[in-house]
Amino acid sequence: GVEPTRCASFTAALEAGEPVPFVSSSTLADGLAVPQVGPHAFAVARHWVDEIVQVSERELAVAMLRLVENNKVIVEGGGAAGLAALLPGGPLDRDDIKDKVVVAPLCGGNIDTTMLGRVIERGLSADGRLLRLVSPVSDRPGGIAEWARVVADLGASVKDIFHERAWLYSSVDQVLIKAVLETSGHEHNEEVIRELRKKYPETYRVTGADNGIND
């Protein structure tokens, strides 16, 4: 069985030997967000479930993205939980399961377009295909354009860009660029940062809580 880390109510019930309340948080797998397992469901499932694992919001987002990109299938978070556990890095990405026939039900497409857009963007971030960075550049005419040309030559695409002057104290003739770039993945991200630093040494990548999904 698979359930979201943010609402691991079945795991809590198994550990307690009976359904118990679980303090849950908002999750992409809202269809699985049950604060307390029902007594009848628990009585039946406990005899047929060999193991229960948990998946993070990051893993759910990537699974939903994979289904849209590779299979052209739209599945809500709860329906994609099984695949999330099986993908590389997931809790079921294990040697004892590899090379075996595994069936992961894909059920439920109850997700609106606004949420789907958010999930795709977060999935891209979790997959390393969105790079968020900060880069001080010349505030003279053509400074930002030159920075954009360097990014384009590196094969990255500018998704969002914002520049500010008031909070940059190192030099009055510079402007601080905050940008989100579309890239091909983690290795491409490293290349972009490395090459940008050759011309813009103070460029740095924004990671952690400011870069999307963390748990």
Side-chain angles (χ1 to χ4, degrees), residues 1-17 22 32-34 37 41-42 45-56 59 78 81-82 85-86 90-94 96-97:
V2 183
E3 63 183 349
T5 301
R6 290 190 170 189
C7 191
S9 56
F10 195 82
T11 299
L14 286 176
E15 293 174 350
F22 184 88
L32 302 179
V34 181
V37 178
F42 178 73
R46 68 183 304 184
H47 297 296
W48 298 102
V49 175
D50 297 316
E51 180 183 2
I52 186 81
V53 297
Q54 300 170 21
V55 290
S56 68
E59 290 162 339
L86 290 166
L92 294 181
D93 179 25
R94 307 185 315 216
D96 61 323
I97 293 180

Side-chain angles (χ1 to χ4, degrees), residues 26-150:
S26 176
T27 173
L28 291 174
D30 55 349
L32 302 179
V34 181
Q36 181 169 327
V37 178
H40 298 299
F42 178 73
V44 173
R46 68 183 304 184
H47 297 296
W48 298 102
V49 175
D50 297 316
E51 180 183 2
I52 186 81
V53 297
Q54 300 170 21
V55 290
S56 68
E57 300 301 290
R58 178 185 296 270
E59 290 162 339
L60 286 168
V62 170
M64 296 170 73
L65 176 65
R66 290 284 185 273
L67 289 169
V68 171
E69 284 191 317
N70 299 339
N71 304 96
K72 312 306 181 207
V73 174
I74 296 176
V75 178
E76 63 183 83
L83 178 62
L86 290 166
L87 287 176
L92 294 181
D93 179 25
R94 307 185 315 216
D95 292 337
D96 61 323
I97 293 180
K98 291 180 179 179
D99 299 323
K100 293 184 178 181
V101 176
V102 179
V103 177
L106 302 175
C107 50
N110 186 24
I111 180 170
D112 60 45
T113 53
T114 301
M115 179 59 70
L116 180 61
R118 294 175 186 170
V119 169
I120 290 175
E121 189 157 294
R122 293 189 179 195
L124 289 170
S125 175
D127 204 27
R129 289 154 61 189
L130 288 182
L131 171 63
R132 191 175 177 188
L133 54 81
V134 175
S135 185
V137 304
S138 172
D139 197 23
R140 295 173 180 172
I144 296 178
E146 176 60 26
W147 179 90
R149 279 193 291 270
V150 173

Side-chain angles (χ1 to χ4, degrees), residues 162-168 174-178:
F162 172 78
H163 68 278
E164 60 183 30
R165 298 178 176 86
W167 287 271
L168 180 62
Q174 285 188 321
V175 61
L176 196 65
I177 287 181
K178 297 182 178 180

